[in-house]
Amino acid sequence: IPFIKTLLTAVENLDLSHNLLEKLENLQSFSNLLTLDLGYNRISLVENTVEFLGNLRVLVLRNNGLQTTIGIEVCLYDTALI
């Protein structure tokens, strides 16, 4: 399904807030994301899950109950973490 993959790579802003998400997975197709809003979910770990989002400039994780952010600071060197 190449057409769908092309559509996913075209997405630059994705708002997944308020969805009761517990973990991050299957985001690798969104390789051109600039903004990812994951606020107000149930995510507790994010390490090693955003490393493939090299274009990301804003990552919103507020109100999730994160246990730690260790491991994502290297992946998000030039990204605003909210």
Side-chain angles (χ1 to χ4, degrees):
I1 307 176
F3 177 69
I4 292 175
K5 186 170 184 173
T6 300
L7 287 177
L8 296 179
T9 59
V11 174
E12 293 183 348
N13 302 295
L14 183 59
D15 185 345
L16 295 173
S17 62
H18 302 276
N19 278 291
L20 303 176
L21 299 175
E22 295 181 359
K23 59 183 176 178
L24 299 178
E25 56 188 3
N26 302 319
L27 291 175
Q28 60 271 19
S29 294
F30 295 96
S31 56
N32 289 314
L33 274 182
L34 299 174
T35 302
L36 177 57
D37 188 344
L38 297 166
Y40 300 90
N41 281 294
R42 295 180 178 172
I43 300 167
S44 59
L45 295 172
V46 291
E47 58 189 348
N48 303 320
T49 56
V50 292
E51 59 202 27
F52 48 83
L53 300 175
N55 294 320
L56 199 63
R57 294 296 167 252
V58 176
L59 176 61
V60 179
L61 292 168
R62 75 177 125 227
N63 289 46
N64 266 294
L66 291 174
Q67 294 175 3
T68 181
T69 57
I70 294 173
I72 65 167
E73 64 278 347
V74 173
C75 303
L76 302 174
Y77 173 72
D78 195 26
T79 301
L81 182 60
I82 300 171

